[in-house]
């Protein structure tokens, strides 16, 4: 795993090496940027996110490594607590590990005497170096290559039928979701590439992609024909191409084809098939017998999430409730329904009598996880439901599971950023947003809202103003964020105008104590800037 990620290997070698040499005080964002990533003396870790992004990747790669057959029995384990660049080195007893040299290291470590420190350090470096998985020879050139970046285009529609258009849209969305489960491929986020490539038009912005996955789709007499190819953008060569033809009667048949494409692309790019096989099988199983109308409802729900509107909310809620009645084991529908119920709670959209939207959101999300425990989306929306009910510890655990299942999902990273911004965990919030923006460089505006909230909480007027201006589409919440950013910058007049607009959309919206403030977890640090001292 680490041979495929030389940047993470180089970072890990540096951090552990400095620690073992007794130079932990040098493990700061600035020095790491200069020493490891060749930034100049004018490097600013606050504006250049390279260190935070790479630390996030290193933590995830270590977790993936220790969970794999390759690293499961390692007794020497490196950990990096969130917010720290100083490694914690643990010796783990394992019933599955064969006796060997590491046992001697463990014995020295347990003794804990200072006279053994240098020997322990030497043994650690030698033993891990022998494995060749982490450390690289200092005399050899170190490649700066990052993980390959993939652009999934919308497949071209050949015959123009409504089924074909739906399948083409679904192919783009679902392939991105499936491929995001590979730990060592960067997948440009759906919000960045949505619709690009369909109809044969040129892609407007490659966003630095190394590879392009595209193709065409046609339907006739109950048969789907999907042509797909993987192209090296820089060389202009076709690395892999494929033609599938299969009968279809429901959404599960389409997902079967998508899963096969994703596995073949991952194999071509050097990724182990086993990473997504279980998740793909579970997704296909949950979708067997799902009609195209109910599948279309899921795609429409994602479009709603990109640009929320109350009138669309009601329509989507009704079709998702029908989808879960028609297919009680349809995890994707339960997960999206959880989000829709959550908007009743967060935004006051189409509130129903009899219980809170927050509790309905939690129950729907729990159903989504129960019906497909391999679904990253299900765990993601469970984390969101838990967070807005104040179950912060459970929310962190659920979001961590979602990230483990889909480490390169920009949407999951951005949602984690939002939760940490609202909870006041600034370092984590910025790290998650930095990674999300790297995968989704042209994001929906709600990403900027989380960054604006983080800036406001830290009294950073310039960042707050910049991000708040980019944030729109969330109604009262975006108005509140704009009001807070304006007041932080000394513009009370604009702040009061934003509050007046908020009160028109939400009764009592200009009052400090209202349901919207509580339901969206806007604490006193935020409300003092929203409403003034």
């Amino acid at each position: 795993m680490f041979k495929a990620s030389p940047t993470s290997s180089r970072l890990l070698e540096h951090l552990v090496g400095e620690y073992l040499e007794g130079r932990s005080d040098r493990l700061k964002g600035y020095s790491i940027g200069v020493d490891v990533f060749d930034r100049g003396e004018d490097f600013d870790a606050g504006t250049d996110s390279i260190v935070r992004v790479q630390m996030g990747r290193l933590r995830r790669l270590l977790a993936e490594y220790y969970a794999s057959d390759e690293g499961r029995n390692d007794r020497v384990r490196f950990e990096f607590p969130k917010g720290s660049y100083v490694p914690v080195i643990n010796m783990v007893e394992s019933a599955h590990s064969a006796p060997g040299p590491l046992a001697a290291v463990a014995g020295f470590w347990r003794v804990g005497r200072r006279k053994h420190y240098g020997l322990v350090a030497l043994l650690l470096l030698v033993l891990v170096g022998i494995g060749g998985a982490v450390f690289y020879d200092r005399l050899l050139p170190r490649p700066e290559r990052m993980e390959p970046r993939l652009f999934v285009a919308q497949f071209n529609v050949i015959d123009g039928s409504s089924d074909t258009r739906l399948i083409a849209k679904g192919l783009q969305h679902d392939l991105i979701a499936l491929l995001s489960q590979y730990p060592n491929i960067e997948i440009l986020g759906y919000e960045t590439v949505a619709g690009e490539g369909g109809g044969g038009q040129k892609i407007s912005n490659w966003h630095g992609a190394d590879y392009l996955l595209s193709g065409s789709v046609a339907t006739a007499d109950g048969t789907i024909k999907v042509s797909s190819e993987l192209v090296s953008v820089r060389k202009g060569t076709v690395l892999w191409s494929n033609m599938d033809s299969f009968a279809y009667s429901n959404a599960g048949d389409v997902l079967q084809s998508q899963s096969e494409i994703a596995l073949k692309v991952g194999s071509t790019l050097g990724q182990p098939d086993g990473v997504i096989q279980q998740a793909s099988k579970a997704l296909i199983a949950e979708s067997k017998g799902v009609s195209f109308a109910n599948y279309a409802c899921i795609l429409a729900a994602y479009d709603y999430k990109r640009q929320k509107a109350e009138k669309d909310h009601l329509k989507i809620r009704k079709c998702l409730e029908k989808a879960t009645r028609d297919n009680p084991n349809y995890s994707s529908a339960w997960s999206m329904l959880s989000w829709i119920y959550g908007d009743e709670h967060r935004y006051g959209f189409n509130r129903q009598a009899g219980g809170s939207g927050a509790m309905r959101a939690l129950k729907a999300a729990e159903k989504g996880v129960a019906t497909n425990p391999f679904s990253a989306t299900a765990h993601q929306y469970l984390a969101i439901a838990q967070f807005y009910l104040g179950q912060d510890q459970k929310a962190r655990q659920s979001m961590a599971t979602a990230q483990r299942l889909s480490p390169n999902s920009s949407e999951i990273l951005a949602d984690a950023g939002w939760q940490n911004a609202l909870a006041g965990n600034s370092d984590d919030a910025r790290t998650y947003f930095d990674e999300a923006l790297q995968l989704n460089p042209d994001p929906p505006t709600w990403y900027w809202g989380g960054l604006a909230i983080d800036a406001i909480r830290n009294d950073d007027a310039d960042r707050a103003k910049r991000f708040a201006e980019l944030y729109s589409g969330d109604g009262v919440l975006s108005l509140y964020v704009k009001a807070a950013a304006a007041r932080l910058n000394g513009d009370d007049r604009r702040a009061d105008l934003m509050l007046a607009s908020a009160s028109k959309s939400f009764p009592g919206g200009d009052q400090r104590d209202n349901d919207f403030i509580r339901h969206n977890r806007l604490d006193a640090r935020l409300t003092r800037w929203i409403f003034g001292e």
Side-chain angles (χ1 to χ4, degrees):
M1 288 184 182
F2 275 85
K3 284 180 179 178
S5 299
T7 302
S8 294
S9 301
R10 180 179 177 180
L11 177 58
L12 179 61
E13 178 183 7
H14 176 79
L15 298 177
V16 174
E18 290 294 280
Y19 170 74
L20 292 176
E21 292 291 339
R23 294 193 290 264
S24 296
D25 58 319
R26 279 189 51 79
L27 296 180
K28 308 293 184 184
Y30 174 80
S31 60
I32 295 169
V34 172
D35 295 342
V36 180
F37 300 110
D38 301 321
R39 294 307 198 252
E41 293 183 358
D42 59 348
F43 170 62
D44 182 356
T47 57
D48 186 335
S49 63
I50 182 67
V51 177
R52 293 195 300 274
V53 167
Q54 292 301 330
M55 281 302 301
R57 288 183 173 178
L58 175 58
R59 289 187 181 99
R60 287 202 302 277
L61 187 57
L62 282 170
E64 185 77 20
Y65 173 73
Y66 291 129
S68 72
D69 290 340
E70 186 179 359
R72 183 173 293 117
N73 293 323
D74 282 12
R75 292 190 185 180
V76 180
R77 298 203 172 199
F78 305 104
E79 297 178 18
F80 293 88
K82 282 291 182 69
S84 173
Y85 302 127
V86 179
V88 174
I89 303 178
N90 294 314
M91 300 301 298
V92 180
E93 292 291 344
S94 171
H96 303 290
S97 297
L102 282 177
V105 180
F108 278 113
W109 197 272
R110 282 194 296 271
V111 170
R113 296 176 182 170
R114 293 181 63 85
K115 66 181 182 180
H116 293 310
Y117 178 83
L119 180 57
V120 171
L122 178 62
L123 283 171
L124 282 171
L125 289 172
V126 170
L127 289 168
V128 178
I130 290 172
V134 177
F135 295 118
Y136 282 75
D137 190 332
R138 290 181 183 272
L139 299 178
L140 295 176
R142 292 176 180 149
E144 289 293 336
R145 180 182 64 81
M146 306 290 284
E147 286 76 10
R149 173 171 286 188
L150 178 63
F151 189 121
V152 180
Q154 183 166 312
F155 281 37
N156 295 327
V157 174
I158 302 299
D159 56 64
S161 73
S162 58
D163 273 5
T164 310
R165 286 195 296 271
L166 173 66
I167 292 167
K169 181 179 178 181
L171 274 167
Q172 184 181 34
H173 178 272
D174 295 335
L175 281 171
I176 289 171
L178 285 169
L179 290 164
S180 294
Q181 293 171 95
Y182 283 121
N184 296 322
I185 306 178
E186 287 189 359
I187 309 297
L188 287 164
Y190 179 68
E191 295 93 342
T192 292
V193 303
E196 288 276 14
Q201 75 268 27
K202 290 184 178 180
I203 293 171
S204 58
N205 189 340
W206 289 99
H207 299 294
D210 301 297
Y211 301 98
L212 169 70
L213 175 61
S214 63
S216 61
V217 57
T219 57
D221 301 324
T223 300
I224 302 176
K225 291 184 178 180
V226 179
S227 172
S228 48
E229 66 177 19
L230 182 68
V231 176
S232 170
V233 172
R234 294 174 185 173
K235 295 181 180 179
T237 55
V238 176
L239 303 176
W240 165 83
S241 63
N242 193 62
M243 171 70 80
D244 283 316
S245 180
F246 57 94
Y248 77 99
S249 59
N250 57 53
D253 295 332
V254 178
L255 289 168
Q256 175 74 48
S257 175
Q258 294 171 2
S259 175
E260 291 173 1
I261 294 171
L263 288 168
K264 290 171 183 174
V265 169
S267 177
T268 302
L269 294 179
Q271 303 298 307
D273 288 354
V275 174
I276 64 171
Q277 279 181 328
Q278 274 188 310
S280 297
K281 290 176 182 177
L283 182 62
I284 294 165
E286 76 168 67
S287 302
K288 282 294 184 186
V290 172
S291 69
F292 277 96
N294 288 337
Y295 178 56
C297 184
I298 297 295
L299 298 177
Y302 276 100
D303 286 342
Y304 160 81
K305 192 175 187 294
R306 294 174 66 205
Q307 190 67 42
K308 301 179 186 70
E310 187 166 9
K311 61 180 178 61
D312 296 327
H313 174 271
L314 183 60
K315 178 181 177 182
I316 298 296
R317 187 177 72 192
K318 287 180 178 179
C319 79
L320 286 172
E321 288 175 337
K322 180 181 183 302
T324 55
R325 287 195 302 269
D326 292 346
N327 305 94
N329 292 320
Y330 195 9
S331 175
S332 298
W334 283 113
S335 301
M336 292 308 300
L337 185 56
S338 172
W339 175 265
I340 294 296
Y341 284 153
D343 277 359
E344 292 180 36
H345 174 79
R346 291 182 289 270
Y347 299 107
F349 286 175
N350 302 297
R351 284 181 174 169
Q352 304 177 73
S356 73
M359 286 306 301
R360 280 194 292 275
L362 179 64
K363 290 178 181 178
E366 289 173 341
K367 186 72 173 178
V369 169
T371 51
N372 185 357
F374 296 104
S375 169
T377 302
H379 289 280
Q380 172 191 2
Y381 289 126
L382 177 59
I384 293 170
Q386 291 166 334
F387 179 79
Y388 283 102
L389 282 170
Q391 301 174 8
D392 288 18
Q393 182 61 32
K394 289 182 178 179
R396 281 193 291 271
Q397 292 171 351
S398 296
M399 195 65 82
T401 301
Q403 288 178 268
R404 179 176 58 80
L405 290 169
S406 191
N408 279 317
S409 168
S410 58
E411 183 183 323
I412 291 173
L413 289 165
D415 274 331
W418 254 96
Q419 291 187 6
N420 279 281
L422 286 169
N425 304 321
S426 185
D427 286 344
D428 285 346
R430 294 187 189 186
T431 297
Y432 285 127
F433 277 120
D434 285 342
E435 293 190 65
L437 288 168
Q438 185 163 344
L439 295 168
N440 207 351
D442 185 18
T445 67
W446 62 269
Y447 281 39
W448 306 117
L451 283 164
I453 285 174
D454 173 68
I456 294 163
R457 289 185 61 89
N458 286 282
D459 298 340
D460 188 333
D462 289 340
R463 290 178 72 247
K465 181 179 181 180
R466 183 168 74 252
F467 293 138
E469 289 304 314
L470 293 169
Y471 179 37
S472 62
D474 276 348
V476 176
L477 186 55
S478 58
L479 292 171
Y480 277 158
V481 169
K482 291 180 188 298
R487 210 176 301 280
L488 180 59
N489 279 275
D491 191 348
D492 289 337
R493 180 177 175 277
R494 175 168 169 75
D496 291 339
L497 286 173
M498 294 298 103
L499 286 181
S501 296
S503 66
K504 293 178 182 177
S505 303
F506 191 88
D510 57 350
Q511 301 300 312
R512 186 182 298 268
D513 185 24
N514 64 60
D515 285 346
F516 194 95
I517 293 291
R518 289 189 294 273
H519 290 172
N520 285 276
R521 297 193 56 170
L522 304 180
D523 62 13
R525 193 168 183 82
L526 293 168
T527 55
R528 77 183 179 99
W529 289 117
I530 295 171
F531 299 99
E533 296 292 350

